[in-house]
């Protein structure tokens, strides 16, 4: 069983920044894509960003493109989400997910394991 533990969430003002981290408990971390999703209150979970097993070819939701950056450090079994220029509509619980393969995808079925989530609240 793979465990994913997110951290770095919190309360920030509009325009501020946060960096989320997700540590995976597996030796083969570098063989899999990693992604970030979020769920806002009353809404369905939505794709945010994902990266391939090597960190190349990241993909982003249109709503976060040019504001968020996904990266990974395979030596530390960690994936990051740098979030800049935050908006109130970014308020959500953010989840990291481990891919089913090496290449990233924007759908839930592209991912096998999920973390418990970390809350991000952006105040106006």
């Amino acid at each position: 069983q793979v465990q994913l533990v997110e951290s770095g969430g919190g309360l920030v003002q509009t325009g501020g920044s946060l960096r989320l981290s997700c540590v995976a408990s597996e030796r083969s971390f570098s063989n899999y894509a990693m992604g970030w999703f979020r769920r806002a209150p009353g809404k369905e979970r939505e794709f945010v960003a994902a990266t391939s097993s090597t960190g190349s070819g990241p993909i982003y939701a249109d709503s976060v493109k040019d504001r968020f950056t996904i990266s990974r450090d395979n030596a530390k079994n960690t994936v990051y989400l740098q979030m800049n220029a935050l908006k109130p509509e970014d308020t959500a619980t953010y989840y990291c997910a481990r891919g089913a393969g090496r290449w990233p995808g924007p759908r839930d079925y592209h991912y096998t394991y999920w973390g418990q989530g970390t809350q991000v609240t952006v105040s106006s």
Side-chain angles (χ1 to χ4, degrees), residues 8-37:
L11 174 64
V12 64
Q13 291 185 336
T14 296
S17 298
L18 284 174
R19 188 175 82 155
L20 306 184
S21 300
C22 171
V23 180
S25 65
E26 67 170 336
R27 294 183 179 180
S28 56
F29 176 79
S30 63
N31 290 340
Y32 298 97
M34 294 294 295
W36 287 95
F37 288 73

Side-chain angles (χ1 to χ4, degrees), residues 7 9 12 15 19-21 28 32-36 40 45 53 57 86 101 103 105 108 110-111 115 117 120:
S7 63
V12 64
R19 188 175 82 155
L20 306 184
S21 300
S28 56
Y32 298 97
M34 294 294 295
W36 287 95
R45 185 167 59 192
S53 61
L86 283 161
W103 300 106
D108 285 12
H110 289 121
Y111 300 89
V120 171

Side-chain angles (χ1 to χ4, degrees), residues 55-79:
S56 63
I59 58 174
Y60 297 94
D62 287 345
S63 59
V64 306
K65 203 170 294 183
D66 299 326
R67 298 189 298 123
F68 291 11
T69 302
I70 187 170
S71 62
R72 64 190 295 162
D73 184 338
N74 285 343
K76 296 182 178 180
N77 278 19
T78 303
V79 63

Side-chain angles (χ1 to χ4, degrees), residues 37-48:
F37 288 73
R38 66 186 181 187
R39 187 196 302 271
K43 296 186 177 181
E44 293 187 354
R45 185 167 59 192
E46 65 174 359
F47 170 75
V48 175

